[in-house]
Amino acid sequence: MDFLDKLNPQQRQAVTAEAGPVLVLAGPGSGKTRVLTQRVAYLIAHLGARPYQMLAVTFTNKAAREMEGRVKGLLGEDAMRGLWLGTFHATCARILRSEAGLLPIGENFVIFDTDDQVRVVKAVVRELDLDDKTYRPTSVHASISRVKNELIRPEDYPTQTYRDEAVKRIYARYQQALIQSNAVDFDDLLLLTAYLLEENLAVREKYAQKFRHILVDEFQDTNQAQYMLLRHLASVHHNIFVVGDEDQSVYRWRGADYRNVQRFEKDFPEAQVILLEQNYRSKQVILDAAMAVIDRAHHRRRKELFTERGAGEKLSYFEAFDDYGEASFVVDSIAQLVASRSMGPGECAVMYRTNAQSRLLEEAFLQARMPYRLVGAQRFYGRREVKDMIACLRLVHNPADEISLDRVINVPPRGIGDKTILALHTAARAARVSPGALLMDLGRGSDSPAWEKFSGRAALPLADYGGLLSAWVSAAGVLTVAELFDRILADTGYQDYINDGSDEGEERWENVLELRRLALEYGNRTISEFLQDVALISDQDTLGESQSAPTLLTLHAAKGLEFGAVFIVGLDDGILPHSRSFDEPEEMEEERRLFYVGITRAKDRLYLVRSLQRGGRGYAEETIPSRFLDDIPAGLVSGKSRGGGRAGRPSSTPTWQASSPSRPAPVMENRFRAGMRISHPVWGEGIVLDSRLQGGDETVDAVFESVGIKRVAASLANLKILNNKK
């Protein structure tokens, strides 16, 4: 077994561990895939394990194929014959089809995808005579999916509110509808298998006896259902080998539970725990920064990451004046790296917390005529919600625009179906006017000559939308682009339509707000100028995408990847960590892990980038540096920074040196208190959530009805106290 000679001592210890439960905590870039695949090879070649007695589960088909290829490369083509290797869902589907006689579905069941599932929920909401605006199908489906991952059946759905009671009814009927269709959803694959093993001792014994060895990849990303599955399958032989890293658990919103690492040690107290700490990816200075950040996390086993790749250059820190400067710095720095041949374009990556942040970066790359790759998302101007709002503005500017009209006439849904739209076009052609013009005339109701050409069922929603369009066209002459944007949002209820409370809905709404931010920058300039500029930018999206181009991606999408040079942008409190995490300790912990994941993607160069203010070139909001930056020792960082540490920071940790614009005199006492009503010149009235002295200023967290939670520096935000309520 020559392959063992290529392992470092910690890897070899893991691969050759004695039978029994083994927990391998693998730091980033420590070769966990090599350990997992070579463990499979070692069990077969050295311990005499039979492939058909082994189960190896991964989270992606790609990971399964990679594992299969590596083992075949070590032992030959026939080594894998009979081995159960695949994703959790594929493994469960295989078990369920074999045991279908014990289930309410047949072995030829179908698996509904996400769109199918939402359609079933929508039909159930309609069947139960519930309001689909109150019980949005995508939001209800997300609630059902969440509880399924927690192994909660319909009859056990927790209810504290009337909405909970309604969702419980929907969940129960949804499950009945799936059974009637001889179908399951993705969550059912896990849920049904977990309960099958929990409640049927014979089936549990059958599979627990069969699988003498179980191996699990990315263990920190397992949910409760997956953990129960593994516990039952390992209940006889206890030969379970799991590889993961709780420091890289960043998918809580998908149901992943890093605490499964702790549960494993509790349920298998005899488990061997092996740390993989040698990193083959990054320079030591990057690892030191990563450890400084993650060492402040709770409930984890500390790892001392080290590398033989050398110390490397210090982290580069840059504070731009605004977010346009932030994007320009990134593009210019990549151009310099490429020009100096320090990095190839494809070795560079730009990472950010939310997809909405990609807009300014994309525009900066386009203006520089530099190709880029966007991973895991549609380009900003190609996103559905962005195209919807642009189409609305185009239609107001030019009611003859049939393409825009057809796109938004029933968005959000207002009872205007395809047949009604066809009838509108037919009537418009007969009257020799544009559909938009006819629609606005219908806004007059029965006074319109076209009214009689439509049934009452079709005429009413057409007239309602025609009235809206007429009002917008009239208002466009006196409103700014941003004011018109807000008017359309309010009149259509687009926020409630696009933001259903799910993570995807929140992200879509953030994209709408990003487009609105661009509209704000146009001040009193015309809608024509706005639409022309947007068209020119979006047209440039056809700029060729190359595999050798810099990569733009979210920090969530970066997990598992590596790049020579990494730029992490938007390092402001409220962005990273995200404002939604401020009052949720568990979410704040995950934000810290997310930053850690981003840092550890870098091999040679790491750039930490933020801006002093955001909001574009209209109204700009002062920002506060990410609290995570304070955790990185000053000796690891070079570049331009602002001074001052965070309140409560240990005096032993050096603060970064200041080189930023002059700031107001230090604030010595708090002016604002929780519960106090305040007013902001742009966001309107709000309520203070928290206030503290920080870096010579007073930092105020407040919730505004117009924009939600914001964090501001009191000396720069021009806040007014409306009362002194305690």
Side-chain angles (χ1 to χ4, degrees), residues 504-633:
E504 182 182 2
E506 291 275 1
E507 191 170 277
R508 289 189 181 281
W509 178 239
E510 287 176 353
N511 289 330
V512 173
L513 292 179
E514 179 64 22
L515 184 65
R516 179 186 181 275
R517 192 162 75 90
L518 176 63
L520 274 171
E521 297 181 17
Y522 277 72
N524 292 320
R525 293 165 64 191
T526 67
I527 188 174
S528 177
E529 293 175 280
F530 175 82
L531 291 172
Q532 176 176 295
D533 290 349
V534 166
L536 290 174
I537 294 169
S538 58
D539 185 59
Q540 290 182 68
D541 279 347
T542 57
L543 188 66
E545 189 172 278
S546 168
Q547 292 299 313
S548 62
T551 300
L552 276 60
L553 71 171
T554 65
L555 287 161
H556 280 105
K559 190 160 174 280
L561 304 177
E562 60 181 40
F563 301 91
V566 168
F567 295 76
I568 303 179
V569 302
L571 284 169
D572 308 326
D573 259 17
I575 298 180
L576 183 66
H578 198 283
S579 58
R580 289 195 297 267
S581 69
F582 286 167
D583 298 321
E584 296 289 340
E586 285 288 346
E587 291 190 15
M588 183 62 73
E589 288 282 285
E590 182 152 318
E591 294 289 304
R592 178 179 294 280
R593 295 194 294 269
L594 196 57
F595 185 37
Y596 171 78
V597 165
I599 292 173
T600 56
R601 301 308 95 192
K603 293 161 61 176
D604 301 303
R605 300 288 297 272
L606 178 63
Y607 297 78
L608 306 176
V609 191
R610 63 175 301 272
S611 63
L612 291 170
Q613 60 182 32
R614 294 187 184 276
R617 292 166 181 169
Y619 174 78
E621 175 189 352
E622 179 78 6
T623 62
I624 296 174
S626 169
R627 65 193 67 190
F628 299 149
L629 289 171
D630 289 342
D631 299 331
I632 302 176

Side-chain angles (χ1 to χ4, degrees), residues 306-328:
F306 68 94
T307 184
E308 295 179 354
R309 294 196 63 232
E313 299 183 34
K314 289 185 176 182
L315 279 59
S316 298
Y317 177 73
F318 183 77
E319 256 182 2
F321 177 71
D322 61 15
D323 35 12
Y324 279 87
E326 182 181 59
S328 296

Side-chain angles (χ1 to χ4, degrees), residues 6-8 10-16 22-41 56-60 62-64 66-68 70-71 74 88 215-222 241-251 261 274-281 303 305 558-562 596-597 600-601:
K6 299 178 181 179
L7 302 175
N8 67 42
Q10 291 177 322
Q11 291 174 333
R12 187 183 182 103
Q13 180 188 2
V15 169
T16 61
V22 180
L23 171 62
V24 180
L25 296 177
S30 60
K32 72 174 182 63
T33 304
R34 168 185 286 187
V35 166
L36 197 60
T37 55
Q38 296 200 7
R39 174 67 173 179
V40 174
V57 287
T58 65
F59 271 83
T60 66
K62 178 182 177 182
E66 182 179 356
M67 185 185 300
E68 181 179 17
R70 290 195 184 195
V71 175
L74 292 171
F88 273 98
L215 303 99
V216 187
D217 191 16
E218 302 287 6
F219 182 65
Q220 78 282 345
D221 290 334
T222 53
F241 184 94
V242 301
V243 181
D245 181 7
E246 70 268 57
D247 293 339
Q248 298 185 69
S249 180
V250 294
Y251 297 130
V261 173
I274 301 168
L275 305 183
L276 300 186
E277 298 171 304
Q278 182 170 351
N279 180 285
Y280 292 90
R281 175 188 300 152
K303 291 178 285 293
L305 303 179
K559 190 160 174 280
L561 304 177
E562 60 181 40
Y596 171 78
V597 165
T600 56
R601 301 308 95 192

